[in-house]
Amino acid sequence: YTLLLNWARPDIIVHCAAITQVDYCELNQNEAMLVNSLSCEKLLKNNPYTQRVIYISTDAVFDGSCRYSSESTLPNPINFYGQSKLCGEHLITESRIPSTIIRTTIVGKNYFYKSNTLVEWIYDSLTRRIPIKLFTDVLFNPIDPIGLIIEIEHIINEQLGGTFHVNGPSCMSKHQFGCLLANQLGLNNSLIQKSSICDSSFIAPRSFDQTLSVQRYQQLTCRPLPTIDETMINLMSMFT
């Protein structure tokens, strides 16, 4: 880390690195803690260059017990992925360097790893005409990478500090999202079957309600966040 910092001399660090596969984190907790949490401490310790750090966090710091968790909702992660990200938040805020924490739910394409994201899995399955199951009882309000990058740029330019929830304003189930994506990409949404998270075989628990309230961020910045239609257009650009 010291060699990297001395080479880059970053004025601002946007910490996006994370192991996001929830079950993998549950089974490999030391590795998850090292990447999702302790990397923050190593980047910021004895760092004379950086004037601000932005840490990308997650809805998984909450237990899903309420609709639209806000910045004032008490975090209570129910899996180790959420715990590791919450620990990262604490390390960031305890640093002497001014910080911004962005909790978000990103949907998009993974350009750097072989593992598929939700969007890639839906796309790859439907293009190969493989039936898939998506949950009708898991709710979220996602944002695509393009929309999030625009807001990160605004936060940097305005030097906004603190914790913010930056997501799309539209709440939907994973099943609804998959059908909208299929329609946008011209794929057969009849291959998408309804299912319940209660019937899943996940190793780590997931919450039913993963929605985040964006009210505080929108009131402070007076900025519209991307609608689901805008999100779908941005996602389509990644596959065409």
Side-chain angles (χ1 to χ4, degrees):
Y1 285 86
T2 300
L3 290 174
L4 176 63
L5 289 169
N6 289 337
W7 171 75
R9 297 173 178 251
D11 296 321
I12 299 172
I13 294 176
V14 181
H15 190 301
C16 303
I19 299 175
T20 59
Q21 295 95 332
V22 178
D23 285 347
Y24 184 90
C25 289
E26 204 74 19
L27 295 173
N28 301 274
Q29 297 187 1
N30 289 338
E31 184 181 355
M33 186 62 72
L34 180 64
V35 174
N36 295 348
S37 306
L38 299 181
S39 61
C40 303
E41 185 177 48
K42 292 182 178 182
L43 279 172
L44 303 182
K45 186 178 181 181
N46 300 322
N47 179 347
Y49 309 111
T50 302
Q51 304 301 311
R52 176 167 297 279
V53 59
I54 297 174
Y55 180 67
I56 307 302
S57 191
T58 171
D59 60 83
V61 300
F62 299 109
D63 59 14
S65 59
C66 66
R67 179 68 46 84
Y68 291 119
S69 296
S70 72
E71 291 85 347
S72 61
T73 303
L74 185 66
N76 183 33
I78 61 174
N79 52 54
F80 195 81
Y81 167 62
Q83 293 174 30
S84 67
K85 294 298 287 184
L86 184 60
C87 181
E89 290 188 11
H90 291 159
L91 291 172
I92 291 289
T93 55
E94 290 169 2
S95 167
R96 61 171 180 81
I97 300 174
S99 63
T100 307
I101 293 170
I102 299 175
R103 294 178 181 146
T104 187
T105 311
I106 308 170
V107 289
K109 194 172 184 178
N110 194 335
Y111 291 96
F112 301 104
Y113 296 99
K114 294 181 180 179
S115 60
N116 279 353
T117 65
L118 171 67
V119 170
E120 290 173 299
W121 174 66
I122 294 172
Y123 175 81
D124 291 345
S125 299
L126 297 187
T127 53
R128 291 185 290 166
R129 301 191 59 80
I130 299 173
I132 60 174
K133 294 181 178 181
L134 289 173
F135 304 136
T136 59
D137 51 0
V138 175
L139 302 177
F140 71 151
N141 55 322
I143 190 170
D144 66 276
I146 296 172
L148 182 60
I149 288 169
I150 291 170
E151 299 312 314
I152 292 174
E153 183 178 24
H154 176 76
I155 287 170
I156 291 173
N157 290 337
E158 297 299 320
Q159 298 183 4
L160 300 180
T163 299
F164 299 103
H165 293 178
V166 183
N167 254 11
S170 304
C171 168
M172 68 200 70
S173 70
K174 296 292 180 78
H175 180 267
Q176 290 171 319
F177 174 82
C179 290
L180 287 172
L181 181 64
N183 292 339
Q184 185 70 45
L185 295 174
L187 300 173
N188 185 2
N189 66 16
S190 67
L191 294 170
I192 304 176
Q193 304 169 7
K194 296 180 178 180
S195 68
S196 169
I197 194 172
C198 297
D199 300 325
S200 68
S201 57
F202 292 137
I203 296 169
R206 271 80 159 171
S207 61
F208 287 87
D209 196 322
Q210 301 167 5
T211 55
L212 296 174
S213 172
V214 297
Q215 183 176 10
R216 177 172 178 265
Y217 180 75
Q218 288 191 299
Q219 287 179 343
L220 179 66
T221 63
C222 299
R223 292 174 62 79
L225 290 165
T227 65
I228 189 59
D229 289 336
E230 293 168 332
T231 295
M232 289 295 161
I233 291 172
N234 288 339
L235 290 176
M236 183 173 69
S237 69
M238 298 178 183
F239 293 92
T240 55

